[in-house]
């Protein structure tokens, strides 16, 4: 029984490492850009955030009634930081990243929330949602060319 417990713990520890090792170099590069995306959002770095998007981008974020282009894609970030007594934070869960040559598609879950700037305690806890981004590599640089986000479907 002790051996089974050790094996279970070892497997749980090693699983994320194995998942990361399964990514190709392009998939890993895109996933790191997805992580950078959220650092930009957390730090309200709109200029950095916009460097990730192709000028011809069109996508359908969950906050919009219709698809939009790069010129409007950052409108959701400033309201996250409107209350100085709160700090924005998030957690990501990578679900799938797949390369198709010069295109990589990333699917993941986001759970975002606000913490008290004074205590660090979570004070608003949003429902997780899902994101899909399609990245294309042009002239050695990855950019988001399309994407979509939406509510997470709950199990009944």
């Amino acid at each position: 029984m002790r051996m089974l417990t050790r094996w279970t713990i070892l497997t749980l520890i090693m699983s994320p490492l194995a998942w990361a090792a399964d990514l190709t170099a392009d998939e890993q590069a895109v996933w790191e850009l997805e992580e950078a995306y959220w650092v930009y959002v957390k730090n309200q770095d709109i200029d950095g955030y916009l460097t990730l998007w192709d000028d011809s981008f069109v996508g359908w974020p969950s906050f919009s009634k219709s698809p939009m282009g790069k010129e409007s894609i950052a409108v959701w970030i400033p309201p996250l930081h409107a209350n100085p007594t709160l700090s924005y934070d998030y957690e990501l869960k990578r679900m799938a990243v797949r390369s198709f040559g010069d295109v990589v598609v990333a699917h993941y879950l986001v759970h975002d929330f606000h913490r008290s700037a004074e205590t660090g305690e979570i004070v608003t806890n949003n429902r997780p949602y899902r994101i899909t981004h399609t990245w294309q590599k042009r002239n050695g640089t990855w950019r988001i060319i399309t994407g979509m986000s939406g509510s997470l479907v709950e199990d009944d």
Side-chain angles (χ1 to χ4, degrees), residues 38-108:
W38 288 96
V39 171
Y40 291 140
V41 171
K42 182 176 181 174
N43 295 330
Q44 198 174 354
D45 180 353
I46 304 293
D47 292 336
Y49 177 82
L50 290 174
T51 66
L52 302 173
W53 305 86
D54 187 84
D55 289 339
S56 298
F57 166 84
V58 64
W60 202 339
S62 60
F63 62 82
S64 178
K65 291 181 181 180
S66 59
M68 61 178 27
K70 179 179 178 177
E71 70 282 350
S72 304
I73 200 62
V75 298
W76 65 283
I77 298 173
L80 298 174
H81 302 276
N83 185 339
T85 67
L86 301 176
S87 64
Y88 178 79
D89 208 348
Y90 63 91
E91 295 173 352
L92 305 179
K93 182 178 180 184
R94 184 178 66 212
M95 300 303 289
V97 181
R98 183 79 39 91
S99 176
F100 301 90
D102 68 340
V103 171
V104 172
V105 179
H107 300 280
Y108 60 96

